[in-house]
């Protein structure tokens, strides 16, 4: 940055600038000498004085600033030794300039003048000139300024010390403002401390030559006699050059808010169930059905690392401990080029290492599980956290009758995370994270009839280890590299009479996600990156083609699986190396953003068996590749200060599932499936804290994997990519952000989702179609520390196929259904109200939080599934859980 | 990676929800009490046959109603030659329920009929898919059932039309093995012996006063509301093969034991039989399970179904039965089914005093 410098001034000495005049001292001497000459000769200057040392005067700070050079004429007396004696102004340049010139002249040093060959005192006339000069200065420092406010009352908080790790600090004024100048660029750690304020640490990225404006909302400790709610995080709004924003439809919820949503028992990630675009899943399924995409089509990421499941078995708990979750974001569709390999939406979980100074932690327990988290800030540059959770319900169930443990699939689960965060120099940081999740359920239903004796066990687990390197280069530049490895195992064993089905899948994956974003110009930001992954599966499957069931299968709940059995053992490898590029073009004064993106996703896969296993024949493998080019486009237009319009479209590809590549149960030659997403919407900032969103969406899918409907299918073609799908819907969200102790939202989705198994078949309802989904969440903190919340949900039931007739199967001694039109009826409407209340108690420096949730407050008899009598003459519904209170507590220290 | 059945997982939890109280729907029906005419069982003699043998098979149906066993109801028997699509999760093609499909061949009418298996039965319903056209991949062989067998569907209609009165019977057909080594196939051909229908060797009633065998045409007399225990016994099949024991077992062949295997002699109980384990790629010997279905025109059984699994060996199965509170004659039936689809049945006349 170049700006005029008034700090330096150089006298122009060249060419006659120095004026020396022999003045009155010489004259008076001359006069004296003349008087003498009346009697003698006048003295003669034989050697003039020479300036040996010049002193530069600081340019005076005057207003208005001069627009031209300023000169001051001085009379300087030089003694016989050359030192300056008296200095007087002969011609003024202004008081400030006069004083500066006099002060500088007093420091001059001359060689002694000589009169008649002898050193003598002399007075000279000297003109001192002050000159203005333009300089180009490269900024080397930045500024951090901002405001500190009370998180609850939003009032400014004075006398908060904002201190940098280097020791520089500032105090907020009465308006809560602070300012720190001349800061070195890069990532700076800083701490906020003050009265009633637990010291908090955070990091900011300062850019040389720029001023970063921040607002900190902090939780103040209650004053004496005052109680307050649980706020263990502080919210930061950073107004900085925005990073590339790709998604036009995404709902992001902070961990603090998500924890308060009724029905989730404080599990942050379970808030996804209440977000717009998400179908209401059957109790205990934990399925995530987003915008008409199947549960297997929506991808879940933790810090950019894929994980196979969001919830533990039964959907009661998420697989990521809430204490390390900073936010949960659902993108139902139309997302940018950084992600792919999925036809449905995205769930992105961001985790963090808690930033409180010192050793802190949390212990929690309820009827489902117990958990603990410990975090410590070892130094300003190193923090670590460890968290673990273990189910209790399986231990408590041992107190129940053995029959309950036999019949009811009591879940047993574990999960844990370990994080270490390192802050490096120059705005860089590294996080190392390890996580795991394990599930086990078992159920057995004895029967006097051995053919009706059932038993089922399920085991699943996954492990992930990753590093996340972030380089905040400043000025909108950011580099993130996340290499990861993972292992997973899933096993199912199901027996229905003597018919046994078993599946096992061991998988290993390694990958890296890297991105680099730059702000090339004020109107152009670019991000490029790569999303690479190698995934190996080792699978064994024994049993019927019909189990597990697939979307589109016509069957009723509880129907025994087909008893024709087969077996396969095979391995698959799937490789994807997807470079991508996105650009954000800003126009109309940053109101219009056009974000085109391109993702090139070469997908490679190999299968160890091209045809079913045959004795005496070596396995012949198969290698296939697809080259997917996925263009994406997002447009956001701030048409008005309060109105944002947005649109997105994109092409998405998905490789076939490893389990579908079996030569016996599937088809090793399955191709990739494809989907086109189209989104159009508007967001209105109706009030300061109230937003209204309306989004229309449509997705069209091709080459979906379906069962082969031929009477005489060919070998290794039990499945074919002949399916098609389409979803059209409208989604509304009215959201109130935290204000006046209240937050919440109303989300409603109207949607129709269909599938067809092949082109020669008619469209039918998708098995997970839900025409109406309404989810209302409201949380209120009427008193400090006391919070109440409600969640009200209405959802259409899933489609089902009615039974129009029956016949007796004399070999199996059971009735077999004859079905009516596929998905021609629905499970009845689901309506449920859940309430939650929580209270925080202060115990010294620690907090004890107690909550009580009552699910299904009205004790409504919702139907979860349709069931039939054994002869299919009667139909009824399995009802959902009745009114169910759940209590829990957590202690935070 | 998550290959666990999505719908199956939900099913697991829905059952749990139902079990947790006040959620269990009331859809139970009494499957033992016979009030309307229906087919209780179908028996094929022989129980298993190779299509290539051209044997004539006799089919008998046990038809019952509130008055007892019926032998005069009009039964139409159809052989269905429709292959079942992979996408069909039921036991048969829907064409088997449609008399206009052109896939049903009438075998005859009456309480029993005779018929022969079509020569291409193992191709339509077994491991021998038709030869493909040149350049085309082979067809997918049909998967064997849980006992390693293959089945041809027969439709038995009380009124001759596809309706709720239709009964499916699947005739076990003796085919070879698919995708196995020739030596294994040969050994299987030699050691596998067709199924024998199970039979009730003896039916007893157990009272506090003692056990009484119920003769074939005898009438069991009980008191009003009396609870008795019924025990059906079947042939005690050998656990190991001994040549000359009268049973051709899976470890015997016509060459190794001509006495038992020249004309294969089966056992009407829990037979041992040969099966191919695809997971391990080897032949193995298994033991049939036996299920007993209990029926009656009146009275209440403790269990509608009893039996022994493959992992158990027993010579009989018991069930409690409580007589009705009003006197009169009634009929009880029991149907035995083994793991390979073999069927035997027995009826008992009861007089309640």
């Amino acid at each position: 940055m170049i700006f005029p410098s008034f700090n330096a001034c150089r006298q122009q000495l060249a060419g006659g600038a120095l004026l020396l005049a022999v003045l009155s001292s010489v004259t008076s001497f001359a006069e004296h000498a003349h008087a003498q000459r009346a009697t003698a000769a006048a003295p003669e200057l034989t050697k003039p004085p020479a300036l040996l040392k010049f002193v530069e005067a600081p340019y005076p700070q005057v207003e208005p600033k001069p627009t031209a050079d300023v000169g001051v004429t001085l009379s300087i007396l030089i003694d016989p030794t050359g030192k300056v004696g008296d200095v007087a102004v002969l011609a003024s340049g202004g008081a400030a300039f006069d004083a500066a010139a006099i002060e500088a002249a007093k420091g001059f040093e001359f060689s002694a003048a000589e009169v008649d060959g002898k050193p003598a005192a002399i007075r000279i006339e000297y003109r001192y000139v002050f000159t203005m000069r333009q300089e180009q200065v490269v900024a080397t420092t930045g500024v951090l300024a901002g405001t500190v406010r009370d998180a609850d009352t939003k009032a400014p908080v004075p006398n908060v010390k904002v201190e940098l790790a280097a020791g520089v600090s500032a105090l907020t004024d009465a308006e809560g403002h602070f300012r720190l100048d001349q800061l070195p660029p890069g990532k700076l750690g800083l701490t906020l401390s003050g009265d009633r304020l637990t010291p908090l640490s955070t990091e900011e990225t300062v850019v040389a030559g720029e001023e970063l404006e921040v607002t900190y909302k902090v939780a103040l400790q209650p004053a004496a006699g005052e109680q307050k709610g649980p706020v263990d995080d502080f919210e930061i709004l950073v107004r900085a050059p925005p990073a590339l924003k790709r998604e036009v439809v995404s709902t992001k919820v902070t961990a603090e808010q998500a924890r308060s949503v009724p029905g989730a028992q404080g599990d942050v990630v379970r808030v996804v169930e209440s977000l717009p675009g998400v179908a209401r899943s059957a109790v205990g399924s934990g399925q995530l059905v987003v915008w008409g995409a199947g549960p297997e089509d929506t991808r879940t990421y933790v810090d950019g690392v894929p994980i196979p499941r969001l919830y533990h078995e039964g959907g009661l708990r998420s697989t990521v401990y809430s204490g390390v979750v900073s936010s949960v974001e659902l993108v139902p569709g139309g997302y940018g080029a950084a992600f792919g390999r999925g036809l449905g939406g995205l769930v992105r979980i961001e985790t963090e290492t808690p930033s409180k100074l010192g050793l802190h932690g949390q212990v929690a327990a309820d009827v489902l599980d117990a958990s603990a988290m410990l975090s410590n800030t070892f130094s300003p540059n190193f923090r670590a956290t460890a968290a673990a959770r273990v189910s209790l319900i399986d231990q408590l169930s041992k107190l129940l009758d053995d029959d309950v443990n036999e019949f009811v699939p009591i879940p047993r689960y574990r999960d844990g995370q370990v994080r270490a965060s390192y802050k490096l120099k120059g705005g860089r940081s590294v996080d190392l994270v390890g996580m795991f999740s394990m599930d086990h359920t078992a159920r057995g239903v004895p029967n006097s009839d051995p053919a009706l004796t059932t038993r089922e066990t399920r085991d699943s687990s996954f492990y992930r280890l990753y590093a996340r390197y972030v380089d905040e280069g400043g000025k909108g530049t950011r580099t993130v590299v996340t290499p990861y490895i993972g292992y997973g195992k899933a096993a199912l064993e199901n027996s229905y009479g003597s018919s046994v089905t078993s599946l096992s899948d061991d998988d290993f994956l390694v990958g890296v996600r890297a991105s680099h974003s730059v702000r090339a110009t004020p109107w152009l930001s670019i991000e490029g990156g790569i999303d690479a992954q190698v995934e190996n599966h080792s699978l064994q499957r024994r049993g019927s083609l019909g189990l597990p069931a697939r979307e589109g299968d016509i069957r009723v709940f509880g129907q025994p699986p087909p008893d024709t059995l087969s077996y396969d053992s095979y391995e698959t490898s799937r490789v994807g190396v997807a470079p991508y590029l996105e650009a954000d073009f800003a126009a109309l004064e940053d109101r219009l953003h056009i974000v085109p993106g391109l993702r090139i996703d070469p997908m490679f896969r190999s299968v160890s068996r091209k045809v079913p296993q045959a004795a005496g024949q070596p396995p012949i493998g198969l290698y296939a590749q697809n080259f997917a080019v996925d263009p994406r486009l997002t447009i956001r237009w701030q048409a008005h200060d309060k109105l944002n319009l947005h649109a997105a479209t994109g092409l998405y590809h998905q490789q076939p599932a490893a389990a579908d590549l079996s030569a016996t149960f599937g088809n090793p030659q399955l191709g990739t499936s494809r989907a086109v997403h189209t989104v159009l919407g508007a967001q209105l900032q109706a009030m300061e804290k109230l937003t209204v969103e309306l989004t229309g969406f449509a997705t069209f899918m091709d080459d979906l994997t379906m069962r082969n409907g031929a009477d005489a299918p060919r070998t290794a073609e039990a499945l074919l990519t002949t399916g098609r799908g389409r979803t059209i819907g409208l989604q509304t969200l009215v959201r109130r952000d935290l204000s006046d102790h209240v937050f919440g939202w109303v989300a409603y989705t109207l949607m129709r989702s269909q599938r067809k198994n092949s082109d020669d078949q008619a469209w039918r309802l998708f098995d997970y179609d839900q025409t109406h989904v309404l989810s209302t969440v409201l949380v209120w903190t009427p008193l400090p520390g006391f919070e109440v919340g409600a969640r009200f949900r209405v959802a259409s039931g899933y489609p089902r196929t009615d039974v129009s007739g029956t016949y007796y199967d004399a070999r199996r001694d059971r009735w077999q259904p004859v079905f009516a039109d596929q998905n021609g009826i629905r499970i009845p409407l689901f309506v449920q109200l859940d309430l939650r209340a929580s209270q925080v108690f202060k115990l010294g420096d620690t907090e004890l939080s107690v909550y009580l949730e009552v699910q299904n407050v009205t004790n409504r008899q919702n139907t979860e599934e349709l069931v039939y009598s054994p002869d299919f003459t009667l139909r009824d519904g399995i009802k959902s859980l009745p009114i169910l209170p759940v209590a829990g507590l957590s202690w935070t220290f | 990676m998550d290959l666990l059945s999505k719908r199956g997982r939900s099913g697991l939890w829905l059952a749990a929800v139902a079990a947790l109280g006040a959620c269990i729907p009331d859809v139970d029906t009494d499957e033992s009490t016979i009030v309307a005419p229906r087919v209780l069982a179908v028996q094929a003699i022989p129980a298993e046959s190779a299509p290539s043998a051209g044997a004539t098979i006799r089919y008998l149906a046990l038809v019952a109603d509130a008055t007892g066993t019926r032998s005069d109801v009009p039964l139409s028997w159809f052989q269905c030659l429709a292959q079942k699509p992979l996408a069909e999760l039921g036991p048969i093609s829907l064409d088997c329920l449609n008399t206009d499909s052109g896939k049903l061949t009438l075998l005859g009418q009456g309480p029993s009929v005779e018929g022969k298996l079509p020569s291409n039965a193992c191709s339509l319903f077994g491991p021998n898919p038709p030869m493909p056209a040149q350049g085309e991949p082979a067809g997918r062989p049909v998967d064997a059932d849980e006992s390693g067998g293959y089945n041809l569907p027969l439709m038995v209609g009380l009124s001759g039309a596809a309706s709720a009165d239709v009964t499916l019977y699947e005739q076990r057909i003796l085919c070879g093995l698919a995708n196995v080594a020739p030596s294994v196939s040969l050994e299987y051909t030699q050691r596998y012996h067709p199924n024998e229908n199970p039979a009730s060797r003896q039916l007893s009633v157990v009272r506090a006063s003692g056990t009484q065998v119920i003769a074939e045409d005898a009438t069991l007399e009980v008191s009003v509301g009396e609870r008795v225990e019924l025990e059906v016994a079947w042939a005690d099949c050998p656990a190991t093969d001994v040549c000359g024991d009268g049973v051709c077992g899976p470890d015997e062949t016509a060459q190794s034991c001509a006495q038992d295997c020249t004309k294969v002699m089966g056992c009407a109980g829990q037979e041992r039989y040969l099966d191919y384990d695809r997971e391990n790629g080897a032949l193995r010997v298994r033991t049939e399970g036996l299920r007993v279905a209990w029926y009656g025109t009146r009275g209440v059984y403790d269990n509608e179904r009893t039996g022994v699994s493959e992992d158990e060996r027993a010579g009989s199965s018991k069930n409690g039965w409580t007589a009705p509170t009003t006197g009169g004659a009634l009929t009880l039936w029991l149907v035995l089914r083994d793991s390979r689809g073999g069927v035997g049945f027995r009826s008992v006349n009861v007089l309640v005093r």
Side-chain angles (χ1 to χ4, degrees), chain B residues 61-333:
Chain B
L62 173 61
V63 182
D65 68 7
T67 65
T69 305
R70 299 289 302 275
S71 59
D72 57 344
V73 291
L75 282 178
S76 296
W77 298 75
F78 297 88
Q79 210 174 53
C80 180
L81 299 183
Q83 284 181 294
K84 184 176 80 74
L86 289 180
E88 172 57 57
L89 299 185
I92 54 174
S93 166
L94 294 181
D95 285 344
C96 294
L97 299 173
N98 181 4
T99 52
D100 297 329
S101 65
K103 299 292 186 178
L104 295 174
T105 302
L106 181 65
L107 288 181
Q109 291 182 321
S112 70
V113 294
E114 290 184 347
K116 296 192 178 200
L117 297 173
S119 57
N120 61 345
C122 288
S123 175
L124 292 174
F125 306 104
N128 306 330
M131 290 298 293
Q134 183 134 11
E136 289 288 318
R140 188 183 192 282
V142 174
D143 292 336
D145 66 21
E146 57 198 13
S147 66
Y150 303 93
N151 303 277
L152 179 148
L154 269 80
M155 309 306 297
V156 186
L158 282 178
S159 59
S163 69
D165 299 324
V166 170
T167 296
L168 163 68
Y169 174 71
E170 289 185 294
Q171 161 76 59
R172 189 177 178 94
I173 55 179
L174 181 53
C175 304
L177 295 175
N179 295 328
V180 299
S183 59
V184 173
S185 179
L186 177 62
E187 183 180 353
Y188 182 83
T189 303
Q190 292 173 335
R191 292 176 57 196
Y192 181 83
H193 309 303
N195 188 31
E196 181 78 24
N197 284 313
S200 165
R201 177 176 62 81
Q202 175 181 287
L203 181 64
S204 309
V205 57
V206 181
R207 294 183 163 106
S209 58
T211 299
Q212 173 195 352
V213 175
I214 305 172
E216 197 62 45
D217 295 321
T219 297
L220 172 65
E221 293 192 10
V222 298
S223 303
V224 168
E226 180 185 2
R227 183 185 179 281
V228 299
E229 195 163 76
L230 300 173
E231 181 174 9
V232 57
W234 45 77
D236 190 14
C237 300
T240 56
D241 294 333
V242 176
C243 191
D245 60 3
V247 176
C248 184
D251 293 325
E252 296 172 318
T253 67
Q255 288 75 35
S256 67
C257 181
Q259 184 176 356
D260 292 336
C261 298
T262 300
K263 184 177 183 302
V264 174
M265 302 161 72
C267 179
Q270 271 190 285
E271 288 183 289
R272 293 166 59 247
Y273 65 101
L274 196 65
D275 177 37
Y276 181 69
D277 181 0
R278 291 208 170 269
E279 183 171 350
N280 297 309
L283 296 172
R284 61 182 175 182
V285 175
R286 295 171 64 181
T287 302
E288 292 175 343
L290 258 178
R291 299 171 58 210
V292 185
W294 303 83
Y295 302 97
T297 53
R298 291 192 295 148
V300 179
Y301 287 101
D302 289 354
N303 299 291
E304 293 177 347
R305 303 288 184 270
T306 62
V308 292
S309 69
E310 286 190 16
D311 302 324
E312 307 168 279
R313 282 193 71 88
S316 65
S317 180
K318 296 179 182 178
N319 198 5
W321 179 77
T322 303
T325 54
T326 56
L330 58 90
T331 307
L332 302 178
W333 300 271

Side-chain angles (χ1 to χ4, degrees), chain A residues 229-233 253-271 274 322 738 741-745 776-782 785-792 834-840 849-854:
Chain A
V231 179
D232 55 359
D233 298 317
V253 184
T254 65
E256 179 187 339
Q257 292 182 351
R259 210 168 279 135
S260 303
V261 172
Q265 291 108 44
D267 189 328
V268 167
V269 180
R270 285 193 61 187
V271 73
S274 303
S322 294
L738 182 60
H741 314 289
V742 173
F743 81 88
W745 62 81
T776 303
V777 172
L778 191 66
V779 179
W780 177 39
T781 308
F786 179 65
E787 188 178 81
V788 292
R791 179 176 71 167
F792 179 69
D834 307 318
L835 297 179
R836 174 187 170 93
S838 67
Q839 175 69 58
V840 176
S849 174
V850 179
Y851 78 85
L852 173 66
E853 281 194 9
V854 181

Side-chain angles (χ1 to χ4, degrees), chain A residues 687-719:
Chain A
M687 298 168 62
E688 184 188 351
K689 291 290 184 180
L690 186 71
T691 56
V692 179
E693 288 182 28
L694 185 67
T695 303
F697 57 90
T699 62
F700 302 93
M701 287 172 260
D702 295 309
D703 302 328
L704 300 177
T705 300
M706 297 290 182
R707 292 197 192 278
N708 189 338
D711 293 343
R714 300 192 290 194
T715 297
E717 289 189 1
L719 299 175

